[in-house]
Amino acid sequence: MNAKCTRFHAASTSGAKLINQILLLYVCVHRAPNAATTLTGQLLVLLTGEKLSDMNETTCHKTRLAWMGGYNFTEMCINSTVNYSTAVSPAFIIDGYNMKSESIWQTLSVRMFLKPLAATERFGMILGSLVASTLIILENRRLLGTCRGPHINDQCSMAPDPFQVLTNKTKEEVLLET
């Protein structure tokens, strides 16, 4: 994740200098601020917050809202529900805790689970049920013997008699000859 991208610039305060290097994703002690965490939080504010056009920088800071540089350096005040909280490890709370492990993230990833509209869910269930029912009916017809052999024009055709295929005669013709 590189800090020098247009969205991070838009989410930063006006005049902020972003470093042109890959950000460290090291999980560290809560006393040291992490640039990746701060920029990601500010980007969430920019993408999910409500832009307030009637506020200047001073008023925005007084009301505890986010002041950002914005796209094309059009400064703006944003009201958002993004919040930071400190994650404190038990290693720093419990006396005598074994501190032999350390976490380093190699990549940053996000998982998103989308829930479809109720109408889309119903449509999928109805369509799936129809397809499954149709296939079950067709398979049962084939297994019960009401439809054997190949299907021609969506109708069942009778399979040829294996005896007739081998002898090129019907069973009746063979019986009459004897």
Coordinates of all heavy atoms in Angstrom, one line a residue, residues 44-126:
L44 N -11.8 6.1 4.9 CA -13.1 5.7 5.3 C -14.0 6.9 5.6 O -15.2 6.9 5.2 CB -13.1 4.7 6.4 CG -12.7 3.3 6.1 CD1 -12.5 2.5 7.4 CD2 -13.7 2.6 5.2
V45 N -13.5 7.9 6.2 CA -14.3 9.1 6.5 C -14.7 9.8 5.2 O -15.8 10.2 5.0 CB -13.5 10.1 7.4 CG1 -14.1 11.5 7.4 CG2 -13.3 9.5 8.8
L46 N -13.7 9.9 4.3 CA -13.9 10.5 3.0 C -15.0 9.8 2.2 O -15.9 10.4 1.6 CB -12.6 10.6 2.2 CG -12.7 11.2 0.8 CD1 -13.1 12.7 0.9 CD2 -11.5 11.0 0.0
L47 N -14.9 8.4 2.2 CA -15.8 7.6 1.3 C -17.2 7.4 1.9 O -18.2 7.3 1.2 CB -15.2 6.3 1.1 CG -13.9 6.3 0.2 CD1 -13.3 4.9 0.2 CD2 -14.1 6.9 -1.1
T48 N -17.3 7.4 3.3 CA -18.6 7.1 3.9 C -19.3 8.3 4.6 O -20.4 8.2 4.9 CB -18.4 6.0 4.9 OG1 -17.6 6.5 6.0 CG2 -17.9 4.8 4.3
G49 N -18.5 9.4 4.7 CA -19.1 10.6 5.5 C -19.9 11.5 4.6 O -20.0 11.4 3.4
E50 N -20.5 12.4 5.3 CA -21.4 13.4 4.7 C -20.6 14.7 4.6 O -20.2 15.3 5.6 CB -22.6 13.6 5.5 CG -23.5 14.7 5.0 CD -24.7 15.0 6.0 OE1 -24.8 14.3 7.0 OE2 -25.5 15.9 5.7
K51 N -20.5 15.3 3.3 CA -19.8 16.5 3.1 C -20.7 17.7 3.6 O -21.8 17.8 3.2 CB -19.4 16.7 1.6 CG -18.7 17.9 1.3 CD -18.3 18.0 -0.2 CE -17.7 19.3 -0.5 NZ -17.4 19.5 -1.9
L52 N -20.1 18.5 4.4 CA -20.8 19.7 4.9 C -20.1 21.0 4.2 O -19.0 21.4 4.5 CB -20.6 19.8 6.4 CG -21.1 18.6 7.2 CD1 -20.8 18.7 8.7 CD2 -22.6 18.4 7.0
S53 N -20.8 21.5 3.3 CA -20.3 22.6 2.5 C -20.3 24.0 3.2 O -19.6 24.9 2.7 CB -21.0 22.7 1.1 OG -22.4 22.9 1.3
D54 N -21.1 24.1 4.2 CA -21.2 25.4 4.8 C -20.3 25.7 6.0 O -20.4 26.7 6.7 CB -22.7 25.6 5.3 CG -23.1 24.5 6.3 OD1 -22.5 23.5 6.3 OD2 -24.0 24.8 7.1
M55 N -19.2 24.9 6.2 CA -18.3 25.1 7.3 C -16.9 25.4 6.8 O -16.5 24.8 5.8 CB -18.3 23.8 8.1 CG -19.5 23.6 8.9 SD -19.1 22.4 10.2 CE -20.7 22.3 11.0
N56 N -16.2 26.2 7.5 CA -14.8 26.5 7.3 C -14.0 25.6 8.2 O -14.5 24.9 9.0 CB -14.5 28.0 7.4 CG -14.8 28.5 8.8 OD1 -14.8 27.7 9.8 ND2 -14.9 29.8 8.9
E57 N -12.7 25.7 8.1 CA -11.8 24.8 8.8 C -11.9 25.0 10.3 O -12.0 24.1 11.1 CB -10.3 25.1 8.4 CG -9.3 24.1 9.0 CD -7.9 24.3 8.5 OE1 -7.7 25.1 7.6 OE2 -7.1 23.5 8.9
T58 N -12.0 26.3 10.8 CA -12.1 26.5 12.2 C -13.4 26.0 12.8 O -13.4 25.3 13.8 CB -12.0 28.1 12.5 OG1 -10.9 28.6 11.8 CG2 -12.0 28.4 13.9
T59 N -14.5 26.2 12.1 CA -15.8 25.7 12.6 C -15.8 24.2 12.6 O -16.3 23.5 13.5 CB -16.9 26.2 11.7 OG1 -16.8 27.7 11.6 CG2 -18.3 25.9 12.3
C60 N -15.2 23.6 11.6 CA -15.2 22.2 11.4 C -14.4 21.5 12.6 O -14.9 20.6 13.2 CB -14.5 21.8 10.1 SG -14.6 20.0 9.7
H61 N -13.2 22.1 13.0 CA -12.5 21.6 14.1 C -13.2 21.8 15.4 O -13.1 20.9 16.3 CB -11.1 22.2 14.1 CG -10.2 21.7 13.0 ND1 -9.8 20.3 12.9 CD2 -9.5 22.3 12.0 CE1 -9.0 20.2 11.9 NE2 -8.8 21.3 11.3
K62 N -13.9 22.9 15.6 CA -14.6 23.2 16.8 C -15.7 22.2 17.1 O -16.0 21.9 18.2 CB -15.1 24.6 16.8 CG -14.1 25.7 17.1 CD -14.7 27.1 17.1 CE -13.7 28.1 17.4 NZ -14.3 29.5 17.3
T63 N -16.3 21.8 16.0 CA -17.5 20.8 16.2 C -17.0 19.3 16.1 O -17.8 18.4 16.0 CB -18.5 21.1 15.1 OG1 -17.9 21.0 13.8 CG2 -19.2 22.4 15.3
R64 N -15.7 19.2 16.1 CA -15.0 17.8 16.2 C -15.4 17.0 14.9 O -15.7 15.8 15.0 CB -15.4 17.1 17.4 CG -14.9 17.7 18.7 CD -15.0 16.7 19.8 NE -14.1 17.1 20.9 CZ -12.8 16.9 21.0 NH1 -12.3 16.1 20.2 NH2 -12.2 17.3 22.1
L65 N -15.4 17.6 13.8 CA -15.6 16.9 12.5 C -14.3 16.8 11.8 O -13.2 17.4 12.2 CB -16.6 17.7 11.7 CG -18.0 17.8 12.3 CD1 -18.9 18.7 11.5 CD2 -18.6 16.5 12.5
A66 N -14.2 16.2 10.6 CA -13.0 15.9 9.9 C -12.8 17.0 8.8 O -13.7 17.2 8.0 CB -13.0 14.5 9.3
W67 N -11.6 17.6 8.8 CA -11.3 18.6 7.8 C -10.3 18.0 6.9 O -9.2 17.5 7.3 CB -10.7 19.9 8.4 CG -10.4 20.9 7.4 CD1 -9.2 21.3 6.9 CD2 -11.3 21.8 6.7 NE1 -9.3 22.2 6.0 CE2 -10.6 22.6 5.8 CE3 -12.7 21.9 6.8 CZ2 -11.2 23.5 5.0 CZ3 -13.3 22.9 6.0 CH2 -12.6 23.7 5.1
M68 N -10.6 17.9 5.6 CA -9.8 17.2 4.6 C -9.4 18.1 3.4 O -10.1 19.0 3.1 CB -10.5 16.0 4.1 CG -10.8 15.0 5.2 SD -11.3 13.5 4.6 CE -11.2 12.5 6.1
G69 N -8.4 17.7 2.7 CA -7.9 18.4 1.5 C -8.9 18.3 0.4 O -9.1 19.2 -0.4
G70 N -9.5 17.1 0.2 CA -10.5 16.9 -0.8 C -9.9 16.7 -2.2 O -8.7 16.8 -2.3
Y71 N -10.7 16.2 -3.1 CA -10.2 16.0 -4.5 C -9.9 17.3 -5.1 O -10.6 18.3 -4.9 CB -11.2 15.2 -5.3 CG -11.4 13.8 -4.8 CD1 -12.6 13.5 -4.1 CD2 -10.5 12.8 -5.0 CE1 -12.8 12.2 -3.6 CE2 -10.7 11.5 -4.5 CZ -11.8 11.2 -3.8 OH -12.0 10.0 -3.4
N72 N -8.9 17.4 -5.9 CA -8.4 18.7 -6.6 C -8.2 19.8 -5.6 O -8.5 21.0 -5.9 CB -9.5 19.0 -7.7 CG -9.6 18.0 -8.7 OD1 -8.6 17.3 -9.1 ND2 -10.8 17.8 -9.2
F73 N -7.8 19.5 -4.4 CA -7.5 20.4 -3.3 C -8.6 21.4 -3.0 O -8.4 22.5 -2.6 CB -6.2 21.2 -3.7 CG -5.1 20.4 -4.1 CD1 -4.6 20.2 -5.4 CD2 -4.4 19.7 -3.1 CE1 -3.6 19.4 -5.7 CE2 -3.3 18.9 -3.4 CZ -2.9 18.7 -4.7
T74 N -9.9 20.9 -3.1 CA -11.0 21.6 -2.7 C -11.3 21.2 -1.2 O -11.9 20.1 -1.0 CB -12.3 21.3 -3.5 OG1 -12.5 19.9 -3.5 CG2 -12.1 21.7 -5.0
E75 N -10.9 22.0 -0.3 CA -11.0 21.6 1.1 C -12.4 21.4 1.5 O -13.3 22.1 1.0 CB -10.3 22.7 2.0 CG -8.8 22.8 1.7 CD -8.1 23.9 2.5 OE1 -8.8 24.9 2.8 OE2 -7.0 23.7 2.8
M76 N -12.7 20.5 2.5 CA -14.1 20.3 2.9 C -14.1 19.7 4.3 O -13.1 19.2 4.8 CB -14.7 19.3 1.9 CG -14.0 18.0 1.8 SD -14.8 16.9 0.6 CE -13.5 15.9 0.1
C77 N -15.3 19.9 4.9 CA -15.5 19.4 6.2 C -16.5 18.2 6.1 O -17.4 18.2 5.3 CB -16.2 20.5 7.1 SG -16.5 19.9 8.8
I78 N -16.2 17.1 6.8 CA -16.9 15.9 6.6 C -17.4 15.4 8.0 O -16.6 15.3 9.0 CB -16.1 14.8 5.9 CG1 -15.8 15.2 4.5 CG2 -16.9 13.5 5.9 CD1 -15.1 14.2 3.7
N79 N -18.7 15.0 8.1 CA -19.3 14.4 9.3 C -19.3 12.9 9.0 O -19.9 12.5 8.0 CB -20.7 15.0 9.5 CG -21.3 14.4 10.8 OD1 -20.6 13.9 11.6 ND2 -22.6 14.6 10.9
S80 N -18.7 12.1 9.9 CA -18.6 10.7 9.7 C -18.8 10.0 11.1 O -18.5 10.6 12.1 CB -17.3 10.4 9.1 OG -17.1 9.0 9.0
T81 N -19.1 8.7 11.0 CA -19.2 7.9 12.2 C -17.9 7.0 12.4 O -17.9 6.2 13.3 CB -20.4 6.9 12.1 OG1 -20.2 6.1 10.9 CG2 -21.7 7.7 12.0
V82 N -16.9 7.3 11.6 CA -15.6 6.5 11.8 C -15.0 6.9 13.1 O -14.9 8.1 13.5 CB -14.6 6.8 10.6 CG1 -13.3 6.2 10.8 CG2 -15.2 6.3 9.3
N83 N -14.5 5.9 13.8 CA -13.9 6.1 15.1 C -12.7 5.2 15.3 O -12.7 4.1 14.8 CB -15.0 5.8 16.2 CG -14.6 6.2 17.6 OD1 -13.6 6.9 17.8 ND2 -15.2 5.6 18.6
Y84 N -11.7 5.7 16.0 CA -10.6 4.9 16.4 C -10.7 4.4 17.8 O -11.2 5.1 18.7 CB -9.3 5.7 16.2 CG -9.0 6.3 14.9 CD1 -9.4 7.5 14.5 CD2 -8.4 5.5 13.9 CE1 -9.1 8.0 13.2 CE2 -8.1 5.9 12.7 CZ -8.5 7.2 12.3 OH -8.2 7.7 11.1
S85 N -10.2 3.2 18.0 CA -10.1 2.6 19.4 C -8.8 1.9 19.5 O -8.3 1.4 18.6 CB -11.3 1.7 19.7 OG -11.3 0.6 18.8
T86 N -8.3 1.9 20.7 CA -7.0 1.3 21.0 C -7.2 -0.1 21.3 O -8.0 -0.5 22.1 CB -6.4 2.0 22.2 OG1 -6.4 3.4 22.1 CG2 -4.9 1.6 22.4
A87 N -6.4 -0.9 20.6 CA -6.4 -2.4 20.9 C -5.1 -2.7 21.7 O -4.0 -2.5 21.3 CB -6.3 -3.1 19.6
V88 N -5.4 -3.0 23.0 CA -4.3 -3.3 23.9 C -4.1 -4.8 24.1 O -5.1 -5.5 24.4 CB -4.5 -2.6 25.3 CG1 -3.4 -2.9 26.2 CG2 -4.7 -1.1 25.1
S89 N -2.9 -5.3 23.9 CA -2.6 -6.7 24.0 C -2.6 -7.1 25.5 O -2.2 -6.3 26.3 CB -1.3 -7.0 23.4 OG -0.9 -8.3 23.7
P90 N -3.0 -8.4 25.8 CA -2.9 -8.8 27.2 C -1.4 -8.8 27.7 O -1.2 -8.8 28.8 CB -3.4 -10.3 27.1 CG -4.2 -10.4 25.9 CD -3.7 -9.3 24.9
A91 N -0.5 -8.9 26.7 CA 0.9 -8.8 27.1 C 1.3 -7.6 27.9 O 2.2 -7.6 28.7 CB 1.8 -9.0 25.8
F92 N 0.6 -6.5 27.7 CA 0.9 -5.3 28.4 C 0.0 -5.0 29.6 O 0.2 -4.1 30.3 CB 0.8 -4.1 27.4 CG 1.6 -4.2 26.2 CD1 1.1 -4.5 25.0 CD2 3.0 -4.1 26.3 CE1 1.9 -4.7 23.9 CE2 3.8 -4.3 25.2 CZ 3.3 -4.6 24.0
I93 N -0.9 -5.9 29.9 CA -1.8 -5.8 31.0 C -1.5 -6.8 32.1 O -1.4 -6.5 33.3 CB -3.3 -6.0 30.6 CG1 -3.7 -4.9 29.6 CG2 -4.2 -5.9 31.8 CD1 -5.0 -5.1 28.9
I94 N -1.2 -8.1 31.7 CA -1.0 -9.2 32.6 C 0.5 -9.3 32.9 O 1.4 -9.3 32.0 CB -1.4 -10.5 32.0 CG1 -2.9 -10.4 31.6 CG2 -1.2 -11.7 32.9 CD1 -3.4 -11.6 30.8
D95 N 0.8 -9.2 34.2 CA 2.2 -9.4 34.7 C 2.7 -10.8 34.4 O 2.0 -11.8 34.6 CB 2.3 -9.1 36.2 CG 2.2 -7.6 36.5 OD1 2.5 -6.8 35.6 OD2 1.7 -7.3 37.6
G96 N 3.9 -10.9 33.9 CA 4.5 -12.2 33.6 C 4.0 -12.9 32.4 O 4.3 -14.1 32.1
Y97 N 3.4 -12.1 31.5 CA 2.9 -12.7 30.2 C 4.0 -13.0 29.3 O 5.0 -12.3 29.2 CB 2.0 -11.7 29.5 CG 1.2 -12.2 28.4 CD1 0.0 -12.9 28.5 CD2 1.7 -12.1 27.1 CE1 -0.7 -13.4 27.5 CE2 1.0 -12.5 26.0 CZ -0.2 -13.2 26.2 OH -1.0 -13.7 25.1
N98 N 4.0 -14.2 28.6 CA 5.0 -14.6 27.7 C 5.0 -13.8 26.4 O 4.1 -13.9 25.7 CB 4.8 -16.1 27.4 CG 6.0 -16.7 26.6 OD1 6.9 -16.0 26.2 ND2 5.9 -18.0 26.3
M99 N 6.0 -13.0 26.2 CA 6.1 -12.1 25.0 C 7.0 -12.6 23.9 O 7.8 -11.9 23.4 CB 6.6 -10.7 25.5 CG 5.6 -10.0 26.3 SD 5.9 -8.3 26.1 CE 5.6 -7.5 27.6
K100 N 6.9 -13.9 23.6 CA 7.8 -14.4 22.6 C 7.3 -14.3 21.2 O 8.0 -14.5 20.2 CB 8.1 -15.9 22.9 CG 8.9 -16.1 24.1 CD 9.3 -17.5 24.3 CE 10.2 -17.7 25.5 NZ 10.5 -19.1 25.7
S101 N 6.0 -13.9 21.0 CA 5.4 -13.8 19.6 C 5.3 -12.4 19.2 O 5.2 -11.5 20.0 CB 4.1 -14.5 19.6 OG 3.2 -13.8 20.4
E102 N 5.4 -12.2 17.9 CA 5.3 -10.9 17.3 C 4.6 -11.0 16.0 O 4.7 -12.0 15.2 CB 6.7 -10.4 17.0 CG 6.8 -9.0 16.6 CD 8.3 -8.5 16.6 OE1 8.9 -8.5 17.6 OE2 8.7 -8.1 15.5
S103 N 3.7 -10.1 15.6 CA 2.9 -10.1 14.4 C 3.4 -9.1 13.4 O 3.6 -7.9 13.7 CB 1.5 -9.8 14.7 OG 1.0 -10.8 15.6
I104 N 3.6 -9.6 12.1 CA 3.9 -8.7 11.0 C 3.0 -9.0 9.9 O 2.9 -10.2 9.5 CB 5.4 -8.8 10.6 CG1 6.3 -8.4 11.7 CG2 5.7 -8.0 9.3 CD1 7.8 -8.6 11.4
W105 N 2.3 -8.1 9.3 CA 1.4 -8.3 8.2 C 2.2 -8.1 6.9 O 2.9 -7.1 6.7 CB 0.3 -7.3 8.2 CG -0.7 -7.5 9.3 CD1 -0.7 -8.5 10.3 CD2 -1.7 -6.6 9.7 NE1 -1.7 -8.3 11.2 CE2 -2.4 -7.1 10.8 CE3 -2.2 -5.4 9.1 CZ2 -3.4 -6.5 11.4 CZ3 -3.3 -4.8 9.7 CH2 -3.9 -5.4 10.9
Q106 N 2.1 -9.0 6.0 CA 2.8 -8.9 4.7 C 1.9 -8.2 3.7 O 2.4 -7.5 2.9 CB 3.1 -10.3 4.2 CG 4.1 -11.0 5.0 CD 5.5 -10.3 5.2 OE1 5.9 -9.7 4.2 NE2 6.1 -10.4 6.3
T107 N 0.6 -8.4 3.8 CA -0.3 -7.8 2.9 C -1.6 -7.3 3.7 O -1.9 -7.8 4.7 CB -0.9 -8.8 1.8 OG1 -1.5 -9.8 2.4 CG2 0.3 -9.3 0.9
L108 N -2.2 -6.3 3.1 CA -3.5 -5.8 3.7 C -4.6 -6.3 2.8 O -4.6 -6.1 1.6 CB -3.4 -4.3 3.7 CG -4.6 -3.6 4.4 CD1 -4.7 -3.9 5.9 CD2 -4.5 -2.1 4.2
S109 N -5.6 -6.9 3.4 CA -6.7 -7.4 2.6 C -8.0 -7.1 3.3 O -8.1 -6.8 4.5 CB -6.6 -8.9 2.4 OG -6.7 -9.6 3.6
V110 N -9.1 -7.0 2.5 CA -10.4 -6.7 3.1 C -11.4 -7.8 2.5 O -11.3 -8.2 1.4 CB -10.9 -5.3 2.6 CG1 -12.3 -5.1 3.0 CG2 -10.0 -4.3 3.2
R111 N -12.3 -8.3 3.4 CA -13.3 -9.2 2.9 C -14.7 -8.5 3.0 O -14.9 -7.8 4.0 CB -13.4 -10.4 3.8 CG -12.2 -11.3 3.6 CD -12.4 -12.6 4.3 NE -11.3 -13.5 4.2 CZ -11.2 -14.6 4.7 NH1 -12.1 -15.1 5.5 NH2 -10.1 -15.4 4.5
M112 N -15.4 -8.6 2.0 CA -16.7 -7.9 2.0 C -17.8 -8.9 1.7 O -17.7 -9.7 0.7 CB -16.7 -6.8 0.9 CG -18.0 -6.0 0.9 SD -18.0 -4.7 -0.3 CE -16.6 -3.7 0.1
F113 N -18.8 -9.0 2.5 CA -19.9 -9.9 2.3 C -21.2 -9.1 1.9 O -21.6 -8.3 2.8 CB -20.2 -10.7 3.5 CG -18.9 -11.5 3.9 CD1 -18.0 -11.1 4.8 CD2 -18.7 -12.8 3.3 CE1 -16.9 -11.8 5.2 CE2 -17.6 -13.5 3.6 CZ -16.7 -13.0 4.5
L114 N -21.6 -9.2 0.7 CA -22.8 -8.4 0.3 C -24.1 -9.2 0.5 O -24.1 -10.4 0.2 CB -22.6 -8.0 -1.2 CG -21.4 -7.2 -1.5 CD1 -21.3 -7.0 -3.0 CD2 -21.4 -5.9 -0.8
K115 N -25.1 -8.6 0.9 CA -26.4 -9.2 1.1 C -27.3 -8.7 0.0 O -27.5 -7.5 -0.1 CB -27.0 -8.9 2.5 CG -28.3 -9.6 2.7 CD -28.6 -9.6 4.2 CE -30.0 -10.2 4.5 NZ -30.5 -11.2 3.7
P116 N -27.9 -9.6 -0.8 CA -28.8 -9.1 -1.9 C -30.1 -8.6 -1.3 O -30.4 -8.9 -0.2 CB -29.0 -10.4 -2.7 CG -28.7 -11.5 -1.8 CD -27.7 -11.0 -0.8
L117 N -30.8 -7.9 -2.2 CA -32.2 -7.5 -1.8 C -33.1 -8.7 -1.6 O -32.8 -9.8 -2.1 CB -32.8 -6.6 -3.0 CG -32.0 -5.4 -3.3 CD1 -32.6 -4.7 -4.6 CD2 -32.1 -4.4 -2.1
A118 N -34.1 -8.5 -0.8 CA -35.0 -9.6 -0.5 C -35.7 -10.1 -1.7 O -35.9 -11.3 -1.9 CB -36.1 -9.1 0.5
A119 N -36.0 -9.2 -2.7 CA -36.6 -9.7 -3.9 C -35.7 -10.6 -4.7 O -36.1 -11.6 -5.3 CB -37.0 -8.5 -4.8
T120 N -34.4 -10.2 -4.7 CA -33.4 -11.0 -5.4 C -33.2 -12.4 -4.8 O -33.1 -13.4 -5.5 CB -32.0 -10.3 -5.4 OG1 -32.2 -9.0 -6.0 CG2 -31.0 -11.0 -6.3
E121 N -33.3 -12.4 -3.4 CA -33.2 -13.7 -2.7 C -34.4 -14.6 -3.1 O -34.3 -15.8 -3.4 CB -33.2 -13.5 -1.2 CG -31.8 -13.0 -0.7 CD -31.8 -12.8 0.8 OE1 -32.9 -12.7 1.4 OE2 -30.7 -12.8 1.4
R122 N -35.6 -14.0 -3.1 CA -36.8 -14.8 -3.4 C -36.7 -15.3 -4.9 O -37.1 -16.5 -5.1 CB -38.1 -13.9 -3.2 CG -38.5 -13.8 -1.8 CD -39.9 -13.2 -1.7 NE -40.0 -11.8 -2.2 CZ -39.7 -10.7 -1.6 NH1 -39.4 -10.8 -0.3 NH2 -39.8 -9.5 -2.2
F123 N -36.3 -14.5 -5.8 CA -36.2 -14.9 -7.2 C -35.2 -16.0 -7.3 O -35.5 -17.0 -8.0 CB -35.7 -13.7 -8.1 CG -35.5 -14.1 -9.5 CD1 -36.5 -14.3 -10.4 CD2 -34.2 -14.2 -10.0 CE1 -36.3 -14.7 -11.7 CE2 -33.9 -14.5 -11.3 CZ -35.0 -14.8 -12.1
G124 N -34.1 -16.0 -6.6 CA -33.1 -17.0 -6.7 C -33.7 -18.3 -6.1 O -33.4 -19.4 -6.7
M125 N -34.4 -18.3 -5.0 CA -35.0 -19.5 -4.4 C -36.1 -20.1 -5.3 O -36.1 -21.3 -5.5 CB -35.6 -19.1 -3.0 CG -34.6 -18.9 -2.0 SD -33.6 -20.3 -1.6 CE -34.8 -21.4 -0.9
I126 N -36.9 -19.2 -5.9 CA -38.0 -19.7 -6.8 C -37.4 -20.4 -8.0 O -37.8 -21.5 -8.4 CB -39.0 -18.6 -7.2 CG1 -39.8 -18.2 -5.9 CG2 -39.9 -19.0 -8.3 CD1 -40.6 -16.9 -6.1

